[in-house]
């Protein structure tokens, strides 16, 4: 494991990783925790903030495409729209819609881009594979 690769990464990259990993851990807990109570709502608010932080910070990460947006940046607007729809469905009391939005964000905005972060040459690959 090459932690130096992470520790020497720009602050925005570190913020992005902390936000995404935090949302991943919190989302994993939320899947199995009781729903509708105060802890669920509190952790849900934190999940939304972490997802928004991960999406916004990703806008400023452009190392892999010569300073331009890359294909991975398609997840930024999808995440922002998903967060908005998640909050809207929760506020409306639409449990089915809310659950769908959460699962869509979890798998589509955390798991899929998370797996892409392990492409050779990218930071997570370098951290875990020693590149």
């Amino acid at each position: 494991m090459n932690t130096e690769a992470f520790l020497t990464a720009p602050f925005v990259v570190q913020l992005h990783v902390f936000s995404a990993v935090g949302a991943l851990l919190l989302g994993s807990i939320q899947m199995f925790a009781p729903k509708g109570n105060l802890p669920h709502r509190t952790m849900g608010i934190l999940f939304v903030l972490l997802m928004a932080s991960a999406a916004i910070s990703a806008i400023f990460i452009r190392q892999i495409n010569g300073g331009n947006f890359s294909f991975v940046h398609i997840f930024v607007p999808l995440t922002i729209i998903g967060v908005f729809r998640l909050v809207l469905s929760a506020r409306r009391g639409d449990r089915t819609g809310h659950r769908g939005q959460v699962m869509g964000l979890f798998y589509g905005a955390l798991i899929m881009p998370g797996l892409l972060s392990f492409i050779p040459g990218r930071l997570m690959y370098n951290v875990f594979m020693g590149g």
Side-chain angles (χ1 to χ4, degrees):
M1 187 165 194
N2 180 8
T3 55
E4 187 176 333
F6 176 75
L7 296 174
T8 59
F11 171 75
V12 71
V13 172
Q14 293 176 354
L15 173 65
H16 178 76
V17 171
F18 278 124
S19 298
V21 170
L24 181 67
L25 294 173
L26 198 56
S28 298
I29 292 168
Q30 286 283 75
M31 272 192 221
F32 301 103
K35 312 293 186 269
N37 54 22
L38 185 59
H40 175 81
R41 290 183 192 129
T42 303
M43 287 192 291
I45 291 167
L46 184 54
F47 178 80
V48 163
L49 294 173
L50 288 168
M51 289 299 295
S53 173
I56 293 167
S57 62
I59 294 169
F60 302 99
I61 300 172
R62 300 187 192 170
Q63 285 88 346
I64 66 170
N65 199 26
N68 297 312
F69 290 116
S70 70
F71 70 95
V72 179
H73 285 93
I74 190 64
F75 293 104
V76 171
L78 296 175
T79 301
I80 292 170
I81 291 166
V83 164
F84 177 76
R85 292 181 65 186
L86 178 151
V87 171
L88 192 60
S89 63
R91 294 192 64 120
R92 289 182 175 165
D94 176 8
R95 290 182 184 175
T96 303
H98 179 68
R99 186 180 196 297
Q101 290 301 322
V102 170
M103 298 310 265
L105 269 175
F106 187 82
Y107 290 106
L110 283 173
I111 300 298
M112 288 188 56
L115 291 174
L116 292 173
S117 72
F118 285 91
I119 292 173
R122 299 200 63 210
L123 177 64
M124 291 294 101
Y125 178 87
N126 292 338
V127 168
F128 286 96
M129 306 303 177

